[in-house]
Amino acid sequence: MADTLLEVRNLKKYFPIRAGVLKRTVGHVKAVNDVSFDLKPGETLGIVGESGCGKSTTGRMIMRVLDPTEGSIVFDGEDITKLSGSKLRAIRRKFQMVFQDPYASLNPRMSIEDIIGEPLIVNNLANRKQATERVAQLLETVGLRADDRARYPHEFSGGQRQRIGIARALAVNPKLIVADEAVSALDVSIQSQILNLMVNLRKEFNLSYIFISHNLAVVRHISDRVGVMYLGNLVELAPKGEFYSNPLHPYSVSLLSAALEPTRKQKRQRIILKGDVPSPANPPKGCPFHTRCPRVMDECRIHRPVMKDVGNGHLVACHLHA
Ligand code: SF4
């Protein structure tokens, strides 16, 4: 088995800003400005950050729903950055997405059997009879009843609908699932059921996950490693234990101070960041976080820090740790 399932290198996504009658390009929104990481088979990488930080855009580029502006994506040994047409369709079976809003992502006019079975039929992986059997199996795998296949999305609760979304993603035996805010729309009690289901499925099917969320507690529950994004940049990447006990980037420190109850050993003070996140159409020079960083130094306003491995697989982009 390959050591790396996914290699993302220097990924960027710039959206043009057009103005005037001729719709000339007058600038770019730098939604993702430099993201690199690897993912191992069976691993879960959590990607956290505030809304607008570029985490969903990163997920969509990996799924090849969006074309990267620059950078490369190598999946299972194949460079998929520029794949298109039938080659892209063929490899897409190996990576699937689970969305935030399970109701909006399920066609209300289709039965559950058609929703889950569609990818099997479209990809010629099963005939009608085989698809029906597989749908029944998948429904039981995700904790629903085989008989549920004749029902419609509106007959299910939010948590059940997310189980259906997961069953549909599993139908084509993917190697990677990108889950974008997959539990954010659910009640807290249901969130943990879906997270536990995803953990169990990962072991059963040797899946890898990229789990995108703004919720640090949810990410802690499911991830092996955690990446933090700010203004389109990956600013910290570390194994989960290391990240939650010893965050190094001042932005991660502030996020954790606001999100989690400190343990008795960790006497964290809540850090409230001043100012707003700068516009990705006009990101600051130097460190992207320098306009809000409580520990800013002169150097931070001039030079952009690069990701550096500081040991224990802990990478951080900050001049304090250069
Ligand atoms: Fe703060 Fe400077 Fe580190 Fe950026 S490089 S996070 S501004 S200390």
Side-chain angles (χ1 to χ4, degrees), residues 44 216 218-226 237-246:
T44 299
L216 282 155
V218 162
V219 165
R220 176 149 74 174
H221 189 97
I222 197 164
S223 305
D224 300 309
R225 282 188 302 149
V226 180
L237 182 64
K240 173 172 71 174
E242 174 75 15
F243 176 76
Y244 283 91
S245 62
N246 183 30

Side-chain angles (χ1 to χ4, degrees), residues 1-6 39-45 62-63 74-78 80 90-98 125 134 166 168-179 198 201-211 224:
M1 190 191 291
D3 282 351
T4 307
L5 178 69
L6 178 73
L39 186 72
K40 295 189 188 78
E43 186 183 30
T44 299
L45 173 67
I62 291 165
M63 294 300 298
V74 175
F75 178 80
D76 214 9
E78 185 170 357
I80 64 162
I91 201 149
R92 261 212 183 115
R93 288 210 303 264
K94 297 187 186 174
F95 42 84
Q96 294 288 308
M97 198 151 189
V98 173
L125 297 174
R134 178 91 174 115
I166 292 169
R168 183 177 56 180
L170 288 176
V172 288
N173 287 327
K175 293 188 172 186
L176 168 67
I177 290 186
V178 175
M198 290 181 74
L201 293 174
R202 183 179 76 166
K203 288 185 203 139
E204 196 176 331
F205 294 90
N206 195 31
L207 291 166
S208 301
Y209 291 123
I210 294 181
F211 195 89
D224 300 309

Side-chain angles (χ1 to χ4, degrees), residues 69-86:
T69 306
E70 269 182 44
S72 66
I73 305 163
V74 175
F75 178 80
D76 214 9
E78 185 170 357
D79 189 337
I80 64 162
T81 322
K82 294 198 166 69
L83 277 191
S84 60
S86 58

